[in-house]
Amino acid sequence: SEALVERYLARIDAIDRQGPKLQSVLSLNPDALTDARARDAQRENGETLGPLHGVPILLKDNIESRDNLATTAGAIVLADNVTGRDAPLVAGLRAAGAVILGKTNLSQWANFRSSDSISGWSALGGQVRNPHMLDRSPCGSSSGSGAAVAAWLGAAAIGTETNGSIICPSQVNGIVGFKPTVGLVSQQHIVPISSTQDTAGPMTRSVTGAAMMLDAIDTVDVDYVAALDANALSGARIGVLRF
């Protein structure tokens, strides 16, 4: 885990802070390496906390964590908003062994600020860039999470969605995004927009990875990984809307 965190930090410095400057990672957890070493020590002693043991995860920066990280929603007014508490979904990730690597950039206030706001821009983080083509939109308020996962800046990320903000950046950045049924993942300690639409969800590079993440963050006792079936769509009919 320590070596993996070191490699992600080096890659973030090389292509997110410098080089093409993707600007997808807003802040880094100063204790990530310490936490990774602790996970490695546990593993050496024969103890693993769960399937995400030692896995570096990024959080969209409207989700609180107890780390020495502000939760800003991309806004200057919240630049010093260090709450010292975990959102329940983050507590679930820790219980499964995950290491919180940092926070991802986003559309400021999760895009709930103007009818003409720019997708993927925040006052604190600037404009997120699509790693596949820098001048194309990274799409949606979870654009930092989508771009970071696509560019291999973390093993996986958590995004949030009110209306398309997990699905759209996952689509245009070429990753797997899953919006859980509203209420399946706790909304507590996440900067809100709509209590009837908001949900956090996994953004990963595989369906199995998304299921592993959902196992850690949901509020029910369901094993999504065990329920995966490669033949689930066998015999299904797919409709395509040509307009």
Side-chain angles (χ1 to χ4, degrees):
S1 182
E2 180 182 2
L4 192 56
V5 168
E6 287 177 338
R7 291 190 180 192
Y8 281 135
L9 292 175
R11 187 163 173 81
I12 289 168
D13 183 63
I15 69 173
D16 202 69
R17 302 284 193 268
Q18 304 182 64
K21 293 186 177 179
L22 300 179
Q23 301 186 143
S24 64
V25 179
L26 194 54
S27 59
L28 293 169
N29 181 5
D31 298 318
L33 278 170
T34 300
D35 293 344
R37 293 183 190 111
R39 298 294 83 76
D40 285 343
Q42 288 174 309
R43 188 182 296 277
E44 288 177 6
N45 290 327
E47 177 189 0
T48 55
L49 298 178
L52 298 179
H53 191 95
V55 176
I57 302 296
L58 291 162
L59 306 172
K60 184 177 178 180
D61 196 19
N62 59 348
I63 302 169
E64 294 187 19
S65 75
R66 72 184 188 210
D67 309 287
N68 188 23
L69 288 168
T71 302
T72 71
I76 292 172
V77 70
L78 294 181
D80 298 319
N81 181 41
V82 179
T83 66
R85 63 188 180 187
D86 277 342
L89 76 88
V90 180
L93 290 170
R94 288 193 207 277
V99 172
I100 304 305
L101 183 62
K103 301 282 194 78
T104 57
N105 198 6
L106 67 160
S107 304
Q108 188 166 314
W109 299 119
N111 230 12
F112 195 65
R113 63 187 184 88
S114 167
S115 58
D116 297 318
S117 60
I118 299 171
S119 189
W121 180 89
S122 74
L124 284 177
Q127 178 63 51
V128 178
R129 295 182 173 90
N130 187 318
H132 300 289
M133 190 170 288
L134 299 176
D135 63 350
R136 298 299 177 95
S137 173
C139 194
S141 75
S142 301
S143 50
S145 293
V149 171
W152 295 80
L153 303 182
I158 296 290
T160 66
E161 173 164 330
T162 303
N163 182 26
S165 290
I166 289 175
I167 300 304
C168 185
S170 297
Q171 173 190 332
V172 304
N173 288 285
I175 63 169
V176 175
F178 183 75
K179 179 183 182 179
T181 301
V182 174
L184 186 62
V185 177
S186 172
Q187 298 174 346
Q188 188 177 20
H189 303 327
I190 302 174
V191 178
I193 294 177
S194 166
S195 62
T196 61
Q197 292 178 259
D198 290 353
T199 186
M203 301 176 72
T204 69
R205 284 185 290 272
S206 72
V207 172
T208 300
M212 291 171 65
M213 294 277 280
L214 191 57
D215 277 340
I217 67 175
D218 74 344
T219 58
V220 297
D221 186 17
V222 175
D223 188 338
Y224 300 99
V225 176
L228 292 177
D229 179 4
N231 298 312
L233 290 177
S234 179
R237 300 177 67 192
I238 308 299
V240 179
L241 303 178
R242 294 297 182 189
F243 59 82

